[in-house]
């Protein structure tokens, strides 16, 4: 639902920026504590899920991991992977349960702290104030397209992964997919299945098996406690937030993605795309190392599962070690655009956050939020929905509800002015 502007209050205990699953999870938890709040959403609720996913998109994690506040997976296939329309339905049912107080189509232009300790929020629908503010706008806001794209001829269609829907939207001819993370690998597969000639510029993304020794790898990792491990317990600590997600797919009931197999079938693989110059696409000669590194991660995860099975005396079927089905004969560093037949390029190299509107001292030298479990050292300022905010599931349906519940407790305690005056954590 959308709150009407008529007689709209301008002060709230909590203002939330962002109306995706993180913002609505926060609203659900605040409602349980009867804390008044308002959400600003510059588009509509769950906008990115409804407009920025390709037609064949599926979850890459099993449905049983979907656990939004008071809204677990409610379908009949817990070990399956929801398709795009099923995901939208799941989220729409969540929104109907939460009935959040939200202003849709309202952009936040600036958030600053006033001398009295309250927050002043400028929006396209006027100014608001609050005692506390939650940033739920996510970390995937600005699509990354490198400046070299400006030199590529206008006759070549260029889009970002968030604009891709299906192969029919592309002109006849070959496609260059740049990036082999989750989106790049799955989009390359989608085009490959549809019979498109695909060139894929790989990166450093790791991969993971879908099924191993009788169970989905996600289920094994859950049994092993991986998804309960906090960022503080992870060997990389906060560095894990910079990791690229493993590529795998939930398509057609779920399967692993092996780029070597695609190459066997005619997809042309390259190393990292570095430049476009004098009609030539220029690639780093690191295809073999990219493929080997992805396979090393794949095998390492399987080995950890093997160790867990052995340690706990679990009866699980044996599985033969992975053997590469294809090896690059040479490292091609150049590809002539004119003779390649490439008529479209899909940039799948991620996003950057955009917190330019947040006029608060909560960022490090790289522009990333500094927080512990979403709590910043600027009293009353919180983040939710970011990757590895606390655990692997923080940016996903599996963990955002836990984070929202934790933050709502902090917010409730902070309403006591004596608590609000104390630092909530120390920045090391």
């Amino acid at each position: 639902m959308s709150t009407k502007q008529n007689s709209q209050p301008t002060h709230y205990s909590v203002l939330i920026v962002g109306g995706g699953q993180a913002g609505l999870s926060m609203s659900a938890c605040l409602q349980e504590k009867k804390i008044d709040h308002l959400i600003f959403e510059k588009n509509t609720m769950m906008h990115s899920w409804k407009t920025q996913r390709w037609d064949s998109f599926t979850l890459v994690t099993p449905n049983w991991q979907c656990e939004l506040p008071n809204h677990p997976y409610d379908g009949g296939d817990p070990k399956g992977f929801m398709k795009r329309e099923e995901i939208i339905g799941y989220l729409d049912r969540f929104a109907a349960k939460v009935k959040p107080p939200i202003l849709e189509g309202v952009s936040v232009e600036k958030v600053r702290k006033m001398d009295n300790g309250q927050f002043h929020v400028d929006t396209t629908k006027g100014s608001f104030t609050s005692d506390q503010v939650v940033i739920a706008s996510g970390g995937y806001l600005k699509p990354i397209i490198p400046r070299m794209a400006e030199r590529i001829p206008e006759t070549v269609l260029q889009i970002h992964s968030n604009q891709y829907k299906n192969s029919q939207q592309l002109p006849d001819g070959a496609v260059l997919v740049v990036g082999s993370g989750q989106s790049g690998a799955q989009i390359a597969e989608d085009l490959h299945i549809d019979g498109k000639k695909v060139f894929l510029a790989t990166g450093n993304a790791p991969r993971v098996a879908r099924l191993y020794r009788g169970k989905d790898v996600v289920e094994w990792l859950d049994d092993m406690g991986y998804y309960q491990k906090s960022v503080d317990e992870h060997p990389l600590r906060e560095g894990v937030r910079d990791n690229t997600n493993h590529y795998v797919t939930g398509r057609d009931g779920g399967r692993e993605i092996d780029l070597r197999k695609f190459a066997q079938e005619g997809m042309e693989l390259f190393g990292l795309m570095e430049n476009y110059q004098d009609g030539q696409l220029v690639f780093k000669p690191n295809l073999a190392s990219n493929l080997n590194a992805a396979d090393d991660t794949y095998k390492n995860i399987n080995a950890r599962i093997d160790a867990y099975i052995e340690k706990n005396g679990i009866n699980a079927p044996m599985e033969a070690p992975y053997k590469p089905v294809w090896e690059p004969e040479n490292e091609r560093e150049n590809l002539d655009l004119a003779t390649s037949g490439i008529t479209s390029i899909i940039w799948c190299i991620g996003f950057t956050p955009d917190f330019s509107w947040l006029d608060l001292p909560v960022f490090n030298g790289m522009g990333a939020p500094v927080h512990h479990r979403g709590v910043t050292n600027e009293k009353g300022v919180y983040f939710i929905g970011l990757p590895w905010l606390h655990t692997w599931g923080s940016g996903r349906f599996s963990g955002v509800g836990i984070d929202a519940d934790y933050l709502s407790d902090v917010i409730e305690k902070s309403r006591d002015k004596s608590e609000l005056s104390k630092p909530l954590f120390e920045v090391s």
Side-chain angles (χ1 to χ4, degrees):
M1 64 174 256
S2 295
T3 303
K4 293 183 179 179
Q5 192 66 23
N6 294 342
S7 67
Q8 175 73 49
T10 58
H11 181 83
Y12 292 82
S13 293
V14 181
L15 290 175
I16 301 170
V17 183
Q21 70 266 20
L24 266 65
S25 294
M26 199 72 242
S27 177
C29 292
L30 291 175
Q31 286 183 49
E32 286 189 355
K33 297 182 181 300
K34 296 181 169 50
I35 298 175
D36 64 288
H37 61 282
L38 179 68
I39 301 173
F40 300 115
E41 168 51 52
K42 67 178 179 180
N43 296 297
T44 56
M45 285 188 287
M46 311 299 178
H47 171 78
S48 62
W49 286 103
K50 296 179 179 182
T51 64
Q52 297 179 13
R53 302 292 189 275
W54 55 93
D55 294 349
S56 66
F57 182 91
T58 68
L59 293 181
V60 299
T61 51
N63 296 331
W64 58 263
Q65 273 205 329
C66 297
E67 192 69 48
L68 294 174
N70 300 314
H71 188 60
Y73 171 69
D74 52 1
D77 188 15
K79 292 194 174 183
F81 307 87
M82 283 192 283
K83 299 176 183 177
R84 178 179 173 274
E85 293 305 318
E86 293 171 318
I87 299 166
I88 291 171
Y90 171 73
L91 292 173
D92 282 344
R93 291 190 296 278
F94 176 55
K97 283 183 181 179
V98 177
K99 296 182 176 61
I102 184 169
L103 290 177
E104 296 179 294
V106 176
S107 294
V108 172
E109 298 179 325
K110 189 173 184 179
V111 178
R112 60 181 175 85
K113 200 166 194 177
M114 300 185 293
D115 292 341
N116 64 1
Q118 293 181 345
F119 296 92
H120 188 278
V121 181
D122 289 322
T123 79
T124 51
K125 287 292 183 181
S127 296
F128 296 78
T129 58
S130 66
D131 300 320
Q132 305 188 64
V133 62
V134 180
I135 313 305
S137 55
Y140 305 109
L141 293 176
K142 295 175 67 175
I144 297 174
I145 295 180
R147 293 298 302 267
M148 68 172 123
E150 299 168 7
R151 301 196 299 273
I152 294 173
E154 293 183 0
T155 52
V156 177
L157 173 70
Q158 298 187 66
I159 61 173
H160 191 268
S161 59
N162 70 342
Q163 298 170 292
Y164 175 73
K165 301 301 178 188
N166 54 60
S167 62
Q168 284 71 49
Q169 79 185 103
L170 306 180
D172 292 340
V175 186
L176 170 63
V177 177
V178 183
S180 59
Q182 279 189 359
S183 294
Q186 291 177 74
I187 288 173
E189 180 192 48
D190 190 54
L191 294 164
H192 184 63
I193 288 171
D194 278 3
K196 279 281 194 181
K197 172 62 178 178
V198 179
F199 296 84
L200 176 62
T202 62
N204 63 355
R207 75 184 189 102
V208 65
R210 178 79 279 167
L211 295 172
Y212 185 65
R213 299 194 67 176
K215 286 204 301 191
D216 193 290
V217 166
V218 170
E219 193 171 344
W220 281 122
L221 292 175
D222 187 64
D223 292 345
M224 293 160 64
Y226 178 76
Y227 300 123
Q228 292 75 45
K229 183 177 292 185
S230 74
V231 67
D232 299 321
E233 299 167 319
H234 196 281
L236 295 177
R237 301 285 297 243
E238 293 175 358
V240 71
R241 293 172 179 154
D242 299 323
N243 277 4
T244 304
N245 288 324
H246 305 72
Y247 56 84
V248 68
T249 182
R251 186 167 177 162
D252 300 328
R255 57 171 172 262
E256 65 185 49
I257 291 178
D258 187 348
L259 301 185
R260 297 180 192 270
K261 184 173 180 292
F262 291 161
Q264 255 190 341
E265 298 167 350
M267 186 182 296
E268 296 198 40
L269 307 184
F270 292 81
L272 182 75
M273 184 171 173
E274 288 192 305
N275 204 357
Y276 174 74
Q277 185 174 341
D278 300 326
Q280 299 289 308
L281 298 163
V282 182
F283 304 91
K284 190 173 181 178
N286 64 347
L287 171 60
S289 61
N290 286 343
L291 295 175
N292 290 337
D295 287 347
D296 286 345
T297 300
Y298 175 99
K299 291 183 284 188
N300 178 267
I301 292 172
N302 288 353
R304 282 188 277 162
I305 294 171
D306 290 337
Y308 174 79
I309 290 171
E310 183 177 355
K311 179 181 178 181
N312 292 276
I314 297 169
N315 184 18
M318 295 301 296
E319 196 155 329
Y322 171 78
K323 292 184 178 180
V325 298
W326 176 88
E327 294 283 1
E329 293 182 2
N330 53 61
E331 293 278 359
R332 293 178 294 167
E333 298 182 50
N334 296 86
L335 181 65
D336 184 78
L337 181 62
T339 60
S340 67
I342 292 172
T343 58
S344 53
I345 297 175
I346 305 177
W347 298 99
C348 304
I349 52 178
F351 300 79
T352 58
D354 181 8
F355 298 118
S356 57
W357 45 272
L358 194 56
D359 188 15
L360 295 167
V362 295
F363 303 101
N364 63 20
M366 299 296 291
V370 177
H371 63 86
H372 184 262
R373 293 198 70 172
V375 181
T376 75
N377 226 19
E378 183 68 25
K379 302 176 190 66
V381 181
Y382 314 93
F383 286 86
I384 190 170
L386 297 177
W388 277 96
L389 186 92
H390 179 54
T391 65
W392 172 90
S394 288
R396 302 167 186 262
F397 297 158
S398 61
V400 68
I402 296 170
D403 292 342
D405 185 60
Y406 174 81
L407 287 177
S408 68
D409 283 344
V410 175
I411 287 169
E412 184 177 48
K413 292 174 183 175
S414 296
R415 298 180 82 193
D416 179 339
K417 297 299 182 184
S418 64
E419 289 294 319
L420 195 61
S421 66
K422 301 174 184 177
L424 292 166
F425 77 99
E426 294 300 325
V427 179
S428 58

